[in-house]
Amino acid sequence: LTDDCDNTTTFDQTITVQDTTAPVLTIPADATVECTETTDPSATGTATATDTCGTVTVTFADTTVDACGNTQTITRTWTATDECGNSISDTQTIAVEDNTSPVLTIPADATVECTESTDPTATGNATATDTCGTTSVTFTDSSVAACGNTETITRTWTATDECGNSVSDTQTIAVVDTIAPDLSACTIENTIIECSDTENENLADAWNAANIAALEACATDTCDTDLTGQVTSDYDFNNLNTTCGPCGTLNVTYIITDDCGNSSSRTVTLTFDDGTIPDLSNCSVTDASIECSGADNETLANDWNTANIAALESCADDLGVTVTSDYMFTNLVSTCGLGGTIAVLYTITDDCGNATTLNATLTLEDTTPPTFTVPGDISIECDQDPSDLNITGDVTDETDTCSETIDATFTDIVADGSCANESIITRTWTLTDDCNNTTTLVQTITIEDNTPPVLTIPADATVECTESTDPSATGTATATDACGTVTVTFADTTVDACGNTQTITRTWTATDE
């Protein structure tokens, strides 16, 4: 400071110019990139900064959190620092994702025989690659059944990466059958059958059916596990080439076809020949026992004889045999009831006059017990008579197929009941037919006492208060019972009146055993 005369005074002031203000930082927006793309700021954005007092340096630092496959979340912290050391920070989030499905390569469609494996080891495996991690490959099959055990399999292959992105494609596997049934184990051969006249066609039918059954049983197929019903033949008995009488030869071709149309064939010859008398070695007409049936006995015997004739005609091994018998029901030799025995001689003659005989005896026997209906279990009072069937019931519906008259009888076993004059009777009914077949049924008769005694009480009484009120003075009740002894008791209830007077209600009770 200087005055007008140049006198001067001096003082110092210090002014400090400083920078305490942080820069202004602008960070890029959060970003999402595929795992195959770069996460450099050139791709995800670069932060910028300005400062009022100089230049600014911008830097960043990353922290990561791993996720599926090669994906991650990056937290990028940007920092702006001016020349005076003032700084500011902010964060940008960068999501590294995997949204891209793997690349799947499936095997070519395949065709296999039904005996071959359809596993991927035989039909091919799918492979897959992924840009962002490892990949798992799986498959599922759906099948459409075709002939035999063949099918068309649609195999869906699926490749899935670690982040769940997947891709699918289908492979078609045709399971086929091109192999004909195998008859190498089959032994059907040319056959000679003894001529049997009217049975020739039946024998040929049976032979043909047996051949079909044998082929169905012995033939095998690589892809058809059950060839039942799949054999056809050109069999026709009308094609018989006759030689003599009803005899001749028949050529038959059998074709067995599997479900897929593959077939094999076999041709055999059947020859009918005759040169023996009737052969009864296969006949089973022997003595027979038939349960006696009373009025139906003659019908049963007639049917038995008719069946024997039919059986002999059927089983005799010869040309058109004729069977006769000396059967007559009137030849019945009685045994018991309506039963008995009939001896019959059968004569079997073939077309050439060869004859043989067979004896058989029919026995009409009775081994069936008679039937009847037993009366139901019953309870009666002890004063009723258990031997009176009008009370306890009698049997009904007495029947027997081989007896003319039958009557039921009974025996009783008596057991004591729970009190006097009560009891339990076990009545066993027995019915025996003429052939000593017996049926027994049991009826239980319970004898009870459910009837109260008959009670007679004394008349009402009036006494002076100085007199006794004992029954000896006022009267005693008496009682009787149809089924035993009776005990008589009494109990008094009183209602007081003037002085020592009162009204006594005396209740008499009679109780039987």
Side-chain angles (χ1 to χ4, degrees):
L1 179 63
T2 302
D3 64 16
D4 291 338
C5 292
D6 293 325
N7 298 303
T8 300
T9 299
T10 301
F11 290 96
D12 292 327
Q13 174 191 18
T14 300
I15 300 172
T16 302
V17 179
Q18 60 183 11
D19 181 4
T20 61
T21 302
V24 176
L25 175 64
T26 302
I27 65 171
D30 292 344
T32 300
V33 298
E34 279 292 305
C35 62
T36 54
E37 298 174 352
T38 181
T39 59
D40 287 348
S42 58
T44 58
T46 300
T48 60
T50 59
D51 190 71
T52 58
C53 286
T55 60
V56 183
T57 301
V58 178
T59 61
F60 69 87
D62 289 345
T63 59
T64 62
V65 177
D66 290 336
C68 59
N70 293 329
T71 66
Q72 58 186 181
T73 299
I74 301 172
T75 300
R76 178 162 289 167
T77 301
W78 292 94
T79 301
T81 306
D82 64 17
E83 293 176 273
C84 294
N86 299 300
S87 65
I88 186 172
S89 295
D90 201 356
T91 58
Q92 173 195 17
T93 300
I94 302 169
V96 180
E97 298 181 342
D98 180 6
N99 295 310
T100 303
S101 298
V103 175
L104 174 65
T105 302
I106 64 170
D109 293 344
T111 299
V112 297
E113 280 291 318
C114 61
T115 54
E116 297 174 348
S117 173
T118 60
D119 286 347
T121 53
T123 57
N125 267 303
T127 59
T129 58
D130 190 68
T131 57
C132 201
T134 59
T135 304
S136 62
V137 178
T138 60
F139 70 88
T140 59
D141 287 346
S142 63
S143 174
V144 176
C147 59
N149 289 326
T150 66
E151 59 185 338
T152 298
I153 298 173
T154 300
R155 179 161 291 166
T156 301
W157 292 94
T158 301
T160 306
D161 65 20
E162 293 177 87
C163 293
N165 301 300
S166 65
V167 63
S168 297
D169 201 355
T170 58
Q171 172 195 17
T172 299
I173 301 169
V175 180
V176 299
D177 177 13
T178 61
I179 301 173
D182 182 4
L183 302 182
S184 60
C186 297
T187 57
I188 63 167
E189 297 174 346
N190 297 334
T191 303
I192 298 175
I193 297 178
E194 184 68 18
C195 201
S196 188
D197 198 6
T198 57
E199 291 300 311
N200 278 355
E201 184 169 359
N202 291 336
L203 292 170
D205 289 346
W207 171 80
N208 178 63
N211 284 345
I212 292 174
L215 285 171
E216 289 177 346
C218 71
T220 58
D221 189 73
T222 57
C223 200
D224 194 347
T225 57
D226 184 5
L227 295 169
T228 303
Q230 293 173 222
V231 176
T232 60
S233 76
D234 60 357
Y235 166 77
D236 184 348
F237 186 74
N238 294 323
N239 293 331
L240 180 72
N241 299 312
T242 58
T243 53
C244 64
C247 301
T249 59
L250 191 62
N251 297 317
V252 180
T253 298
Y254 297 93
I255 299 174
I256 186 162
T257 306
D258 65 21
D259 286 340
C260 293
N262 305 298
S263 63
S264 299
S265 65
R266 182 73 65 84
T267 299
V268 291
T269 300
L270 171 65
T271 301
F272 287 105
D273 191 19
D274 180 28
T276 61
I277 63 173
D279 180 4
L280 305 183
S281 60
N282 293 322
C283 297
S284 59
V285 178
T286 58
D287 296 344
S289 293
I290 298 177
E291 191 66 18
C292 178
S293 187
D296 292 330
N297 278 355
E298 185 170 359
T299 299
L300 292 172
N302 292 343
D303 291 346
W304 169 79
N305 178 63
T306 300
N308 282 349
I309 292 174
L312 288 170
E313 290 175 343
S314 175
C315 74
D317 188 10
D318 210 314
L319 292 173
V321 296
T322 300
V323 180
T324 59
S325 77
D326 62 355
Y327 163 78
M328 293 179 62
F329 184 72
T330 54
N331 292 336
L332 176 73
V333 178
S334 179
T335 51
C336 66
L338 299 175
T341 59
I342 303 175
V344 181
L345 175 67
Y346 294 95
T347 302
I348 302 93
T349 307
D350 66 16
D351 286 347
C352 298
N354 302 304
T356 186
T357 60
L358 185 66
N359 291 292
T361 299
L362 171 66
T363 301
L364 294 167
E365 61 180 356
D366 182 10
T367 63
T368 304
T371 61
F372 65 97
T373 301
V374 71
D377 294 345
I378 191 171
S379 296
I380 63 175
E381 283 295 305
C382 57
D383 58 348
Q384 293 179 294
D385 182 4
S387 65
D388 186 350
L389 300 186
N390 291 321
I391 297 174
T392 58
D394 199 355
V395 299
T396 57
D397 305 325
E398 298 163 279
T399 58
D400 187 75
T401 57
C402 201
S403 298
E404 295 180 312
T405 58
I406 50 175
D407 292 302
T409 60
F410 69 85
T411 58
D412 289 345
I413 298 176
V414 181
D416 291 338
S418 59
C419 62
N421 294 321
E422 288 192 340
S423 61
I424 298 174
I425 298 175
T426 301
R427 177 162 291 172
T428 302
W429 290 92
T430 301
L431 184 61
T432 302
D433 65 18
D434 292 340
C435 295
N436 292 322
N437 299 299
T438 299
T439 300
T440 59
L441 296 173
V442 175
Q443 174 194 18
T444 300
I445 302 170
T446 303
I447 299 178
E448 300 176 333
D449 180 5
N450 295 312
T451 305
V454 177
L455 175 64
T456 303
I457 64 172
D460 293 345
T462 301
V463 298
E464 283 293 312
C465 63
T466 56
E467 295 174 348
S468 172
T469 60
D470 286 347
S472 58
T474 58
T476 299
T478 60
T480 59
D481 189 71
C483 290
T485 60
V486 182
T487 302
V488 180
T489 60
F490 70 88
D492 289 346
T493 60
T494 62
V495 178
D496 291 338
C498 59
N500 289 329
T501 66
Q502 59 186 174
T503 298
I504 301 171
T505 300
R506 178 162 289 161
T507 302
W508 293 91
T509 301
T511 306
D512 65 18
E513 295 176 89

